[in-house]
Amino acid sequence: MMIRGVSIALLCVYVLLVVTQECTGKSVLSRNSSSSTSPPLPQRPISVNVGALFTYDSFIGRAAKPAFKAAMDDVNADQTVLNGTKLNIVFQDSNCSGFIGTMGALQLMETQVVAAIGPQSSGIAHMISYVANELHVPLLSFAATDPTLSSLQYPYFLRTTQNDYFQMHAVADFISYSGWRQVIAIYVDDEYGRNGISILSDALAKKRSKISYKAAITPGAESTSIESLLVSVNLKASRVYVVHVNPDSGLNVFTVAKSLGMMGNGYVWIATDWLPTSLDSMAPVGSETMDLLQGVVAFRHYTTETSMKRELKGRWKNGFNSYALYAYDSVWLLARALDVFFKEHNTITFSNDQNLTKTSDSSIQLSALSVFNEGEKLLEIILGMNHTGLTGRIQFDAERNRVNPAYEVLNIAGTGPRRVGYWSNHSGLSVVTPETLYSKPPNTSTANQRLYGIIWPGEVTKPPRGWVFPNNGKPLKIAVPNRVSYKDYVSKDKNPPGVRGYCVDVFEAALELLPYPVPRNYILYGDGKKNPSYNNLINEVVTENFDVAVGDITITTNRTRFVDFTQPFIESGLVVVAPVKAAKSSPWSFLKPFTIEMWAVTGAFFLLVGAIVWILEHRFNQEFRGPPKRQLITIFWFSFSTMLFSHRENTVSTLGRLVLIIWLFVVLIINSSYTASLTSILTVQKLTSRIEGIDSLIESNEPIGVQDGTFARNYLVNELNISPHRIVPLRDEEHYLSALQLGPKAGGVAAIVDELPYVEVLLTNSNCKYRTVGQVFTRTGWGFAFQRDSPLAVDMSTAILQLSEEGELEKIHRKWLNYKHECSMQISNGENSELSLKSFWGLFLICGVTCFVALTIFFWRVFWQYQRLLPDSGDEEERACEVSESSRSGRGLRAPSFKELIKVVDTKEAEIKEMLKEKSSKKLKSSQSGAGSSHSQRSDIP
């Protein structure tokens, strides 16, 4: 009865402390017992007490206690720290119990400790943080990693190890790096386990992954309880397990998993830092333990390798782990902070807590607990410390977490763990040590993530798929639309599996390519009287009434927000179908092959070439000479007779023949093109429609037909702003054809808007009486809709791509959609058949350049002949005398004029040559007679 009374009393103390703190409404950091007068400079105390609270008999405790003692000895031996003040550590065993831990914390406070190091348990840390808050004693935990301990609720709690917030983000990055979308969390059901897994869930959500199932283990659970839990876990689809338990009992999970056959090929086990802590504490680890853990991936706190670390580790024969380093650094952190505290002339004083003195009537002497008056100041100094310890840089950020958190990624294979990389919040996953990357800019991009190869359970190097269909799992519930139209795509069937069609065959063919069996049940969706609403079908998948929807389901932007679609297995898009009629033949059809510009340029070139040939042939060819009227008729006749190559005039000049050859080549090309185009116009049937496409349909106010249940109606109303009153839902192909035949005036529709695959079937079944007008105005496809983040969707997309590459999709298409009548989908545009100048300007350019060159050569030759026919110097003297006589007589003789040049041009080439020959001989005789007279004069001289 006495023990029971003491226990109840201590529990009341804890409740009183919590209630006192939460009800007073006062800040726990505002207490101040400083005197109104300034005291003289204080002397350093001879010794100072520091508490250490942890579980002795545990993996962490057995490593921490020697570390505390080693740190205390090293601090007291170092004269540069505390300057003669002895650091004394008061130990208390929490014995893995929240109640005993709280009682131990109260016993520590009775010794007037200025700070407490511990506890190792997150649950105990939550409880005794209230004691630290009330008594203003800083609480430095070297092993409590629960992320919620960093909240403002515990201002005197400070973590000298890493926060599990960062470790869970490291695990999430690893899961995303491996490509898994769903995991199962196995965790101990206490503050440490629950809060850590909660952070993991948030981190995975940012990576578009999730925890599909949470398996909680009772603290201290027996193997039978763990076995029952793992059996239920093994029934789930996910094969990726994240284990977040306590170091002392965590190996039991793997022992049971091994016995259940869950450590083989296809399984993935990820353990947090508890597993390396256990293995480091058990060193050397036996082969039986290593056999349990083959292929497991684990995370361990990263600490830089230094000579001091190796020296400290050498003091341990066994049981050393990373928490020993954090315990050692915690003592040194507190010692350095106290040294700064004393150097700033602070004293250590305690005072009574007014709230606790009110309980003096109790048999428990709570008045023995004192408030550390300078606790807030010491906490401020600790938070501002910045030095390097065995665990790396010791500095705290604004949220009181250690800066530069980092972990090693370990893979247990063979005889022990091997490091495959690192993780830090600076660069994510990397094979380079974190301190090497701190000097570079942060880079956590997906492309920058890298690890060495991992050996997975079953001694495989290829990353497991991460999920399976368990043998005793539920079959896949597949919803199939129960269509009443276009049944070749999907419809009800009397034979198993109860459905048939193109879409079903594609789905079955893709399933056959998967490396695992998929049990499935097809369930018809709809009453069979009209096509079901596909949006409602998608909602059924979203609400998990179905696992997947298979059929002619269009992939739209809005639907992708709620479900995961596979790769499209057929192209689709909205088109307009309208009635068409044959275009009437025109008596002016012979003008349609060319555009107006083409006709004008061609006619101009006929006249131009005729004129140029006349110019070039006029001096040489008698057929191009005669009276002006005859010559004008010759130009026109020759020009247009070349169109049919029936010109009777022969060309004799070299330049004329050159121009004519080039022009006849141009005429040949023009004639051939004209003939081909005119033949097409007169022989190919032209179809026209008053609806030219979706734009003209929007501008009209006529009714539009759509297929009942599809997304076309919502698209026309929401995206194209067409009035809902204009939309007419149609049930099947018969309604389509009758509505088009009736037309808008007789209660039908002006046009139908539907998806391309349906339209192909409609046109062939209507014997090509209707056509699509305009272009496809949406580009989509059909796919299978899975629940969000379903891993099966990814595998099915890969299988569909394989079907496409191997030609299997085309074979299935021909099996179900082998049309009897092949119709051209779109009506042709008559204007597009006209030949424009754009197609022939190169020919006209060549012809024009040839004509220009020929004329240039011709006129240069004429001008040269004209220059030779001009009188020489002797003739000029005679002309000068004639000019003077004429001037005296009042009559003028004009100099050579343009008229004379034209006269030369009009003169036959033979006559010009004769004139030049006559002038040359006359000039020769003149020169000979001049030479004879000169000789006779020289003979008469005596």
Side-chain angles (χ1 to χ4, degrees):
M1 290 295 294
M2 182 178 297
I3 295 174
R4 181 180 179 184
V6 172
S7 299
I8 295 175
L10 288 173
L11 182 60
C12 291
V13 171
Y14 170 70
V15 173
L16 176 63
L17 290 174
V18 175
V19 173
T20 300
Q21 181 186 6
E22 295 182 350
C23 296
T24 55
K26 299 179 181 179
S27 172
V28 295
L29 293 178
S30 63
R31 297 179 182 272
N32 190 353
S33 60
S34 58
S35 173
S36 61
T37 60
S38 300
L41 293 178
Q43 298 293 324
R44 287 180 178 247
I46 299 176
S47 64
V48 59
N49 289 337
V50 174
L53 179 66
F54 56 94
T55 300
Y56 294 170
D57 188 18
S58 65
F59 283 143
I60 295 177
R62 286 190 290 269
K65 191 168 187 177
F68 282 134
K69 292 181 178 180
M72 181 178 63
D73 294 341
D74 292 345
V75 167
N76 291 330
D78 191 341
Q79 298 300 318
T80 62
V81 182
L82 293 179
N83 195 18
T85 298
K86 182 180 179 182
L87 181 69
N88 181 39
I89 298 180
V90 181
F91 292 95
Q92 279 289 342
D93 185 4
S94 62
N95 201 24
C96 261
S97 169
F99 178 77
I100 296 178
T102 303
M103 187 170 58
L106 295 174
Q107 293 174 351
L108 283 178
M109 300 306 172
E110 289 180 345
T111 62
Q112 293 190 334
V113 295
V114 296
I117 303 176
Q120 71 191 57
S121 168
S122 297
I124 298 176
H126 276 278
M127 300 180 69
I128 67 175
S129 289
Y130 291 106
V131 178
N133 291 351
E134 184 68 24
L135 302 180
H136 294 190
V137 177
L139 184 63
L140 281 65
S141 177
F142 65 97
T145 57
D146 176 10
T148 61
L149 287 169
S150 297
S151 65
L152 298 177
Q153 185 181 7
Y154 309 115
Y156 279 90
F157 178 86
L158 188 61
R159 195 189 336 260
T160 58
T161 186
Q162 297 294 353
N163 191 336
D164 266 350
Y165 173 88
F166 301 107
Q167 180 171 210
M168 293 306 165
H169 277 76
V171 174
D173 283 352
F174 177 76
I175 292 171
S176 176
Y177 171 80
S178 301
W180 299 312
R181 304 289 292 274
Q182 296 184 12
V183 302
I184 292 178
I186 302 173
Y187 62 98
V188 60
D189 194 13
D190 59 10
E191 289 85 351
Y192 158 76
R194 288 191 302 270
N195 296 330
I197 294 302
S198 176
I199 296 296
L200 176 61
S201 179
D202 295 340
L204 287 174
K206 297 177 182 178
K207 304 289 184 179
R208 286 203 62 184
S209 300
K210 67 178 182 179
I211 297 176
S212 60
Y213 183 72
K214 295 181 179 180
I217 300 176
T218 304
E222 300 292 336
S223 297
T224 54
S225 177
I226 297 175
E227 180 178 1
S228 176
L229 181 71
L230 292 184
V231 167
S232 63
V233 163
N234 200 31
L235 297 178
K236 306 299 179 182
S238 177
R239 286 292 183 264
V240 182
Y241 306 129
V242 178
V243 184
H244 187 56
V245 294
N246 293 316
D248 297 276
S249 58
L251 288 176
N252 294 337
V253 174
F254 290 103
T255 302
V256 175
K258 181 76 172 180
S259 66
L260 295 175
M262 298 175 63
M263 298 299 296
N265 189 8
Y267 289 87
V268 177
W269 291 89
I270 303 171
T272 54
D273 67 288
W274 68 268
L275 182 57
T277 299
S278 299
L279 296 180
D280 292 341
S281 302
M282 295 167 59
V285 182
S287 59
E288 293 183 0
T289 302
M290 285 293 101
D291 290 341
L292 290 176
L293 304 173
Q294 292 298 303
V296 175
V297 175
F299 289 79
R300 178 170 62 191
H301 296 113
Y302 172 73
T303 55
T304 308
E305 286 293 331
T306 61
S307 57
M308 294 180 59
K309 176 180 174 181
R310 288 189 292 270
E311 189 273 333
L312 179 65
K313 189 175 180 179
R315 303 183 190 181
W316 271 260
K317 293 183 179 180
N318 51 46
F320 181 86
N321 56 53
S322 61
Y323 288 103
L325 299 175
Y326 288 109
Y328 184 89
D329 275 353
S330 299
V331 175
W332 271 97
L333 171 65
L334 189 55
R336 294 178 186 275
L338 286 170
D339 188 49
V340 174
F341 178 83
F342 292 136
K343 287 180 179 179
E344 294 179 355
H345 309 296
N346 293 299
T347 59
I348 296 176
T349 61
F350 294 88
S351 61
N352 294 328
D353 190 333
Q354 297 300 322
N355 294 319
L356 296 179
T357 56
K358 297 177 182 180
T359 62
S360 56
D361 296 339
S362 174
S363 59
I364 302 177
Q365 299 297 320
L366 296 179
S367 58
L369 301 176
S370 302
V371 176
F372 179 28
N373 297 324
E374 289 77 20
E376 182 179 352
K377 179 63 177 178
L378 179 59
L379 178 64
E380 181 182 345
I381 293 174
I382 294 174
L383 290 173
M385 296 299 294
N386 184 4
H387 68 280
T388 301
L390 297 182
T391 56
R393 183 181 175 188
I394 301 178
Q395 186 182 7
F396 300 95
D397 59 19
E399 296 180 354
R400 302 189 178 194
N401 293 315
R402 287 275 300 266
V403 297
N404 299 333
Y407 292 86
E408 293 178 276
V409 184
L410 306 177
N411 178 215
I412 301 175
T415 58
R418 64 184 184 93
R419 184 169 53 229
V420 295
Y422 307 88
W423 180 92
S424 68
N425 66 336
H426 184 83
S427 57
L429 297 170
S430 173
V431 295
V432 182
T433 55
E435 62 268 16
T436 307
L437 300 173
Y438 289 149
S439 59
K440 302 178 180 178
N443 186 359
T444 57
S445 63
T446 303
N448 194 52
Q449 307 301 292
R450 186 189 170 198
L451 292 174
Y452 290 121
I454 295 175
I455 300 176
W456 303 97
E459 298 184 356
V460 296
T461 56
K462 181 180 179 181
R465 187 173 59 250
W467 69 280
V468 295
F469 278 98
N471 295 330
N472 53 356
K474 296 181 179 179
L476 206 65
K477 292 187 295 182
I478 304 174
V480 178
N482 190 8
R483 295 190 57 88
V484 296
S485 62
Y486 302 110
K487 294 186 176 182
D488 285 340
Y489 288 110
V490 61
S491 63
K492 181 181 179 181
D493 190 18
K494 297 180 180 179
N495 301 320
V499 290
R500 62 192 295 272
Y502 168 75
C503 300
V504 176
D505 279 9
V506 172
F507 186 77
E508 288 289 331
L511 287 178
E512 292 178 1
L513 295 178
L514 299 182
Y516 47 86
V518 180
R520 55 198 177 276
N521 288 332
Y522 289 97
I523 304 172
L524 287 171
Y525 181 79
D527 56 9
K529 298 179 180 179
K530 65 176 183 178
N531 293 331
S533 170
Y534 281 65
N535 287 334
N536 293 340
L537 175 59
I538 294 298
N539 290 334
E540 293 290 335
V541 177
V542 174
T543 56
E544 299 184 357
N545 292 328
F546 296 106
D547 299 309
V548 58
V550 172
D552 47 341
I553 304 170
T554 305
I555 302 172
T556 64
T557 303
N558 186 58
R559 291 172 180 175
T560 56
R561 297 189 180 104
F562 306 103
V563 295
D564 284 347
F565 280 97
T566 61
Q567 178 78 13
F569 57 87
I570 189 173
E571 293 184 358
S572 183
L574 291 178
V575 293
V576 179
V577 180
V580 294
K581 60 181 179 179
K584 295 182 180 179
S585 180
S586 171
W588 302 100
S589 297
F590 68 92
L591 295 177
K592 291 184 178 180
F594 290 160
T595 61
I596 296 176
E597 294 81 3
M598 181 64 182
W599 279 118
V601 173
T602 303
F605 259 85
F606 270 112
L607 295 175
L608 177 65
V609 172
I612 291 174
V613 171
W614 177 84
I615 293 172
L616 298 177
E617 291 291 319
H618 181 69
R619 301 180 66 199
F620 297 90
N621 196 336
Q622 185 63 32
E623 295 180 353
F624 288 88
R625 301 183 67 84
K629 181 179 180 181
R630 178 186 174 187
Q631 294 183 47
L632 186 61
I633 294 174
T634 300
I635 291 175
F636 278 93
W637 165 255
F638 182 84
S639 298
F640 292 100
S641 64
T642 56
M643 182 187 304
L644 302 175
F645 304 96
S646 60
H647 52 285
R648 64 187 180 185
E649 294 81 6
N650 295 320
T651 53
V652 296
S653 67
T654 303
L655 294 177
R657 289 176 176 177
L658 174 64
V659 171
L660 185 59
I661 289 174
I662 298 300
W663 174 242
L664 291 178
F665 175 74
V666 173
V667 170
L668 176 64
I669 300 299
I670 292 175
N671 279 345
S672 301
S673 303
Y674 175 85
T675 303
S677 180
L678 183 60
T679 302
S680 175
I681 292 173
L682 296 178
T683 58
V684 177
Q685 184 183 15
K686 300 298 180 181
L687 302 176
T688 61
S689 173
R690 62 187 183 85
I691 303 296
E692 298 178 355
I694 187 63
D695 293 331
S696 63
L697 194 61
I698 294 174
E699 294 174 358
S700 69
N701 197 31
E702 297 176 329
I704 304 171
V706 297
Q707 184 180 171
D708 192 16
T710 63
F711 85 105
R713 182 186 187 280
N714 291 337
Y715 183 86
L716 295 177
V717 173
N718 299 330
E719 301 296 333
L720 301 183
N721 297 321
I722 295 177
S723 173
H725 302 290
R726 296 178 56 191
I727 308 300
V728 179
L730 301 175
R731 181 173 178 270
D732 53 24
E733 296 99 319
E734 294 181 0
H735 287 175
Y736 272 46
L737 299 177
S738 62
L740 287 173
Q741 187 173 3
L742 289 174
K745 296 181 179 180
V749 296
I752 288 175
V753 175
D754 207 348
E755 296 184 67
L756 195 58
Y758 302 129
V759 171
E760 291 177 349
V761 178
L762 176 67
L763 295 184
T764 56
N765 292 342
S766 65
N767 294 325
C768 306
K769 292 182 179 180
Y770 306 98
R771 292 289 191 276
T772 61
V773 292
Q775 302 295 325
V776 180
F777 57 93
T778 63
R779 293 288 182 181
T780 57
W782 290 355
F784 305 126
F786 286 83
Q787 291 179 6
R788 195 73 170 171
D789 300 324
S790 171
L792 186 58
V794 178
D795 289 353
M796 287 294 289
S797 293
T798 305
I800 291 173
L801 286 175
Q802 185 177 345
L803 289 174
S804 178
E805 293 172 356
E806 296 176 353
E808 294 299 324
L809 279 183
E810 183 62 26
K811 292 179 181 179
I812 300 174
H813 189 277
R814 288 197 299 267
K815 172 186 174 183
W816 287 99
L817 308 173
N818 189 13
Y819 308 122
K820 298 179 181 179
H821 304 281
E822 290 292 340
C823 300
S824 59
M825 289 293 296
Q826 192 171 8
I827 62 174
S828 59
N829 190 347
E831 296 180 357
N832 295 334
S833 62
E834 291 185 343
L835 300 175
S836 65
L837 182 62
K838 183 178 180 181
S839 304
F840 298 95
W841 71 267
L843 286 174
F844 289 122
L845 178 64
I846 295 174
C847 184
V849 170
T850 304
C851 292
F852 176 78
V853 172
L855 285 177
T856 302
I857 296 174
F858 172 79
F859 283 113
W860 176 83
R861 178 179 174 80
V862 170
F863 186 75
W864 175 76
Q865 290 175 344
Y866 174 72
Q867 290 290 333
R868 290 190 61 188
L869 290 174
L870 290 176
D872 54 12
S873 59
D875 297 333
E876 289 291 337
E877 293 177 359
E878 295 180 3
R879 289 182 63 84
C881 294
E882 294 176 358
V883 169
S884 62
E885 292 177 358
S886 299
S887 63
R888 286 194 297 266
S889 63
R891 293 182 295 107
L893 182 64
R894 291 180 301 172
S897 63
F898 179 74
K899 184 177 181 181
E900 295 177 354
L901 178 62
I902 295 299
K903 188 175 181 180
V904 173
V905 173
D906 188 56
T907 306
K908 291 184 177 181
E909 181 71 14
E911 295 177 2
I912 295 294
K913 291 182 178 180
E914 186 65 28
M915 292 170 62
L916 290 174
K917 184 177 180 181
E918 181 180 349
K919 183 178 180 180
S920 298
S921 62
K922 186 178 181 180
K923 185 178 180 181
L924 180 60
K925 291 178 181 180
S926 177
S927 61
Q928 290 177 352
S929 63
S933 61
S934 176
H935 178 67
S936 62
Q937 289 178 2
R938 286 195 298 271
S939 301
D940 293 339
I941 296 175

